[in-house]
Amino acid sequence: MNNCESEEIVEAANIAISNLLPTKSRSLYDIAYNRFKKWCAEKNNYKSSALWAQYSMVKSCLIIYDKHDISKFPKLIAFLKRTGDGYQAKILTKSEIDRFLSSADDKEFLMIKVGLILGIAGACRTDELVNLTVDDIEDVGSSLIVKIPNTKTKIPRIFVVTDVGNMLELFRKYLSLRPPHVKHKRLFLYYKAGKCSSQPVGKNTMGKIPSVVASYLKLPDVACYTGHCLRRSSATLLADTGVNITT
């Protein structure tokens, strides 16, 4: 491979890497990166928790815009993790998920159960669950085929919910309670005392699903089970099955 070819490949790779940042987030990453460079120059003293929050965005920027990667400094990362306020990512384990699905009363928690099932199965963001419609889910009998047409990365994806335990039964039960007069197609409707209203569930309610589950199970630090817990839990469960990190 000659130098010209090598430079072309490097340039193509850099363009591809830069495109990994979602358009909506790119400006935030730029700001974080510039703030970090200014801090390096001025040696400002960030609180460790604030610096850890900056690191999550800065790391990507360092790789994209510079040839330095903060991941080369594991002791710094470990320090930020230890001293950062609330850095730890709370997840729900398989046994906790199974326990909630099997023991929580459907009359009170059916919507939460369906949100949990779809959120974990598809590693869904809160917005993705909120915007999910009845047309995005196909019930093929032995499984559900779920399409997420609008994602943060602008890349649609599809996932499958298989007939494990009573997951499909819970979904069908919730769907059967949908009032016939509902004029929109949003899947998740407010649910209370065994009945669905026509009002769609909002982002705040959807984002509280993990904390509701944690509260029911009497887990510690309930407030730390944020909406992003579903994605983290999904990734952790997948990793625990032995798949490689790229997958």
Side-chain angles (χ1 to χ4, degrees), residues 38-61:
K38 183 179 179 181
W39 173 81
C40 289
E42 299 177 356
K43 295 184 179 180
N44 284 336
N45 292 319
Y46 273 76
K47 287 177 62 179
S48 57
S49 57
L51 188 55
W52 177 253
Q54 293 297 312
Y55 161 72
S56 65
M57 289 193 292
V58 168
K59 181 179 177 182
S60 296
C61 295

Side-chain angles (χ1 to χ4, degrees), residues 90 96 214-215 217-225:
K90 291 292 186 180
E96 289 167 348
S215 177
L217 296 175
K218 294 180 171 53
L219 302 178
D221 303 319
V222 169
C224 294
Y225 288 84

Side-chain angles (χ1 to χ4, degrees), residues 60-217:
S60 296
C61 295
L62 289 171
I63 296 172
I64 293 169
Y65 298 116
D66 248 333
K67 293 184 179 178
H68 304 289
D69 184 354
I70 197 172
S71 64
K72 295 176 182 177
F73 305 96
K75 290 184 179 179
L76 171 60
I77 295 172
F79 170 76
L80 293 174
K81 283 186 174 182
R82 283 198 306 271
T83 58
D85 232 351
Y87 83 91
Q88 287 188 329
K90 291 292 186 180
I91 65 166
L92 293 166
T93 66
K94 183 179 184 302
S95 61
E96 289 167 348
I97 294 169
D98 290 343
R99 184 152 57 95
F100 177 78
L101 293 177
S102 62
S103 63
D105 187 356
D106 287 355
K107 190 172 183 180
E108 182 179 358
F109 296 104
L110 184 58
M111 188 278 287
I112 301 295
K113 288 184 177 184
V114 175
L116 177 64
I117 290 169
L118 296 179
I120 294 293
C124 294
R125 297 179 174 90
T126 300
D127 284 344
E128 293 171 349
L129 290 175
V130 168
N131 295 321
L132 203 60
T133 72
V134 291
D135 292 340
D136 294 328
I137 302 180
E138 181 182 1
D139 189 340
V140 296
S142 60
S143 61
L144 303 176
I145 300 176
V146 186
K147 301 176 183 178
I148 306 291
N150 300 312
T151 69
K152 185 178 180 180
T153 58
K154 307 300 182 183
I155 301 175
R157 70 177 189 277
I158 297 176
F159 64 90
V160 175
V161 180
T162 55
D163 195 9
V164 177
N166 63 338
M167 291 185 180
L168 299 190
E169 178 185 340
L170 290 170
F171 171 80
R172 290 164 183 156
K173 181 178 180 179
Y174 179 70
L175 193 62
S176 70
L177 297 174
R178 187 179 185 86
H181 61 274
V182 176
K183 296 181 180 180
H184 60 83
K185 292 191 174 183
R186 291 260 291 273
L187 172 66
F188 286 101
L189 306 175
Y190 274 100
Y191 177 83
K192 185 176 182 180
K195 295 181 180 180
C196 287
S197 71
S198 59
Q199 184 178 356
V201 172
K203 184 175 180 178
N204 289 337
T205 299
M206 193 67 71
K208 291 177 181 178
I209 286 179
S211 63
V212 171
V213 175
S215 177
Y216 175 85
L217 296 175

